[in-house]
Amino acid sequence: MPYCEVDRYQAGDKWEGVRLFYRRYGRGATKVLLVIGLAGTHDSWGPQIRGLTGSMEPADGGDEPTAARTDEEAGAPAAAPATATVEEEDVGEGIEVCCFDNRGVGRSSIPPHKSYYSTSIMARDALALMDHLGWKKAHVFGHSMGAMISCKLAAMAPHRLSSLALLNVTGGGMECFPKVDAQMLSLAFRFLRARTPEQRALVDLETHYTKEYLDEEVGSCTRRAILYKVNAIYLHGVFIILPASFTVCIRLIFLDYIC
């Protein structure tokens, strides 16, 4: 399976054994890097991958069966892959997409210490992945925490980005915290009472969008109906893949959101 050994591309850093699992789809001179949000995995990008490449068939081969990992095994140094870098090729007008699991989730390494988690560290992970792929530049698209990571990546290496697209992200600062009022307290109460991904998806929509926007008709249904389907699928994935070290990631909300 395709892995990027992050520290091979970070000169001067001590080897931590951090490996990122990634997938590539399509072929072409146009490169697109998708950066997912908190607790999401590369699988969350299915509709976007199909829309950009027209296929969900990975360009780097299929899955191989693997045994279940412990946190210690996931963070341990691994043997070097036979080919550490995929050379960039100019293969015409097509689009090549890469999506990956951030450290701490999915099939990527799960470092055990909280000092190994921040949006800046994860931005360096994304840059290391681009180096691994041999991508000089890419269109970077980030969602939620992935958009925060993408912002750090853009500030860190602006010459490596062809464009930057951000979805569901905050600019940081104390302004990002919601006003405490009756509506916010009601949403918080309903979210805590929700017991299924479907129930939480309904509340989550009202947290992110106005009632007027959700009730707007698009074709034969409302935006609420469309977004609900996407949100319910995403939250199903979140419920399944939350790692044991998930509480460490909550640190990102309180530190990186206000920086």
Side-chain angles (χ1 to χ4, degrees):
M1 290 183 290
Y3 282 94
C4 166
E5 295 182 341
V6 170
D7 305 280
R8 290 180 176 274
Y9 305 94
Q10 297 179 359
D13 285 358
K14 183 179 179 182
W15 168 256
E16 298 172 4
V18 176
R19 304 169 73 217
L20 298 180
F21 178 84
Y22 68 91
R23 279 293 192 205
R24 292 183 300 123
Y25 299 85
R27 281 284 187 266
T30 300
K31 312 298 184 182
V32 179
L33 183 67
L34 303 177
V35 189
I36 195 59
L38 181 68
T41 69
H42 69 284
D43 294 315
S44 304
W45 291 112
Q48 289 76 22
I49 293 168
R50 185 180 297 278
L52 288 168
T53 69
S55 172
M56 288 299 297
E57 184 68 27
D60 40 36
D63 289 336
E64 297 175 5
T66 56
R69 306 171 307 160
T70 64
D71 288 2
E72 292 77 16
E73 291 171 339
T83 303
T85 304
V86 178
E87 295 296 333
E88 183 177 22
E89 297 178 357
D90 185 358
V91 286
E93 298 300 320
I95 298 176
E96 181 176 346
V97 175
C98 180
C99 53
F100 63 100
D101 295 344
N102 287 310
R103 60 172 64 201
V105 297
R107 303 185 192 181
S108 291
S109 298
I110 304 176
H113 304 296
K114 65 181 181 180
S115 60
Y116 292 131
Y117 295 89
S118 74
T119 52
S120 294
I121 290 173
M122 292 180 178
R124 290 196 290 272
D125 288 348
L127 188 59
L129 178 57
M130 288 179 63
D131 290 339
H132 174 82
L133 296 170
W135 289 7
K136 295 178 181 178
K137 298 186 73 172
H139 298 277
V140 176
F141 180 30
H143 170 253
S144 192
M145 187 189 77
M148 297 166 61
I149 295 170
S150 299
C151 285
K152 294 290 179 70
L153 174 59
M156 189 180 300
H159 60 288
R160 302 292 298 275
L161 275 68
S162 300
S163 67
L164 177 65
L166 308 174
L167 177 65
N168 287 57
V169 69
T170 172
M174 298 303 295
E175 302 84 18
C176 72
F177 289 96
K179 180 175 66 174
V180 178
D181 56 17
Q183 181 182 11
M184 189 275 285
L185 292 174
S186 173
L187 286 172
F189 178 72
R190 288 168 56 198
F191 190 82
L192 291 174
R193 288 193 61 189
R195 291 293 180 266
T196 67
E198 290 79 10
Q199 291 172 343
R200 291 198 172 186
L202 287 171
V203 182
D204 190 61
L205 289 181
E206 295 181 34
T207 303
H208 288 90
Y209 305 99
T210 64
K211 183 179 184 300
E212 292 74 17
Y213 180 82
L214 292 173
D215 290 341
E216 183 180 345
E217 292 189 1
V218 180
S220 59
C221 60
T222 63
R223 291 190 186 277
R224 185 189 303 272
I226 297 171
L227 291 169
Y228 169 75
K229 292 179 182 178
V230 175
N231 226 29
I233 292 172
Y234 173 75
L235 287 175
H236 260 294
V238 169
F239 269 55
I240 293 170
I241 56 85
L242 288 178
S245 60
F246 173 71
T247 52
V248 172
C249 296
I250 297 302
R251 170 178 180 270
L252 297 169
I253 297 174
F254 295 99
L255 293 184
D256 293 308
Y257 262 55
I258 62 175
C259 293

